[in-house]
Amino acid sequence: MPAPLLGRSLQSAVPAALAVNTKLVDIAHSNVSAGLELARDLAGAKTPMEAMRLGVAYWFNHMGAVQTQARELQSLSAAWVKTASDQIRPL
């Protein structure tokens, strides 16, 4: 692969790479916020049963969020690879 072709491929992938990195930061922020909300709610729990209910509800909600986050990352990553590989395909 000639160097200019590789350079074009890498350069075209930069916006998609930034989108993936931005999504990762958003996911981290969301997950930390959710964990802090759980900690706040647990601190206010009046009984052990209430604390358990809060924990179970958190994990059910969190698993749904993780699935959504994984799908979003998969989509962005696929776009990133496609953008980069489109530049190196033969014309």
Side-chain angles (χ1 to χ4, degrees), residues 74-86:
Q74 181 182 24
S75 175
L76 286 171
S77 297
W80 181 11
V81 169
K82 182 179 179 339
T83 301
S85 65
D86 282 349

Side-chain angles (χ1 to χ4, degrees), residues 6 11 17 20 39 41 45 50-51 58-59 65 67 76 78 87-88:
L6 178 60
Q11 190 173 22
V20 169
D41 292 344
E50 183 181 0
Y58 167 80
W59 283 109
Q67 289 174 339
L76 286 171
Q87 298 298 317
I88 57 175

Side-chain angles (χ1 to χ4, degrees), residues 5 8-9 30 32 39 46-47 51 58 61 82-83 85 87 89:
L5 193 57
R8 265 198 334 256
S9 174
S30 175
V32 168
K46 305 263 188 269
T47 66
Y58 167 80
N61 291 335
K82 182 179 179 339
T83 301
S85 65
Q87 298 298 317
R89 290 194 180 149

